[in-house]
Amino acid sequence: MKACIKAVHCASLEMLGINYEDYSPSEPDNFAIHDLEIEIGPLNGEGQEIFNFQILTPKFLLSNMLKHKPAIFPRGLIIVKEYDYKMIYSFIEDYISKIEESDWRTIAMKISRIGRWEFEDYKPFSL
């Protein structure tokens, strides 16, 4: 079993009427997108689950996130030199395309190493 990207969303840009693919930050080497949601599901199958990412540059990281903190835990961060939608998409797609497992849960667990999986801490409700 393999996985693929089914959709990409960014609520903060969509609220402004901007498509993620068409986004162009005023400073391509100093930006952050904090709410990138990528829907990933089985290749040649139905369904998808959401994985969340933040995309930012080292310049933004140093001037904002590390300004008042001595360190951070960077899971879910994709650090890029500058904004390039095609490169970012290809980078994520390449990682996902190399995963091959016998079941979806194992695939999702591997993807959750780089992004926050919507079900990673899920515990079924029981009465």
Side-chain angles (χ1 to χ4, degrees):
M1 174 180 262
K2 294 187 73 119
C4 68
I5 295 174
K6 305 270 182 148
V8 178
H9 302 282
C10 182
S12 60
L13 293 176
E14 290 169 3
M15 287 174 45
L16 299 172
I18 301 170
N19 183 322
Y20 174 71
E21 294 177 32
D22 300 327
Y23 174 63
S24 180
S26 58
E27 293 181 67
D29 69 336
N30 186 17
F31 81 95
I33 295 174
H34 297 289
D35 61 343
L36 188 70
E37 291 186 351
I38 302 178
E39 295 180 22
I40 302 170
L43 182 66
N44 303 321
E46 292 187 28
Q48 64 271 340
E49 293 177 7
I50 297 170
F51 294 82
N52 296 290
F53 297 88
Q54 293 183 66
I55 300 174
L56 50 89
T57 60
K59 195 177 209 179
F60 183 90
L61 180 67
L62 290 171
S63 64
N64 293 279
M65 296 180 82
L66 292 175
K67 189 174 187 176
H68 303 290
K69 297 178 181 181
I72 61 171
F73 296 107
R75 192 170 69 89
L77 292 183
I78 298 174
I79 301 171
V80 297
K81 289 183 201 177
E82 62 184 22
Y83 187 81
D84 179 340
Y85 168 77
K86 289 180 182 176
M87 183 281 300
I88 294 166
Y89 186 94
S90 294
F91 183 74
I92 297 166
E93 183 178 51
D94 183 60
Y95 179 87
I96 292 164
S97 70
K98 291 177 181 173
I99 300 171
E100 187 166 357
E101 294 294 340
S102 60
D103 61 276
W104 172 251
R105 180 158 179 77
T106 305
I107 290 173
M109 293 296 289
K110 287 189 175 183
I111 298 170
S112 74
R113 293 175 184 167
I114 63 166
R116 291 179 310 278
W117 179 28
E118 68 177 316
F119 293 114
E120 69 186 48
D121 291 325
Y122 174 75
K123 292 182 175 75
F125 178 76
S126 61
L127 295 174

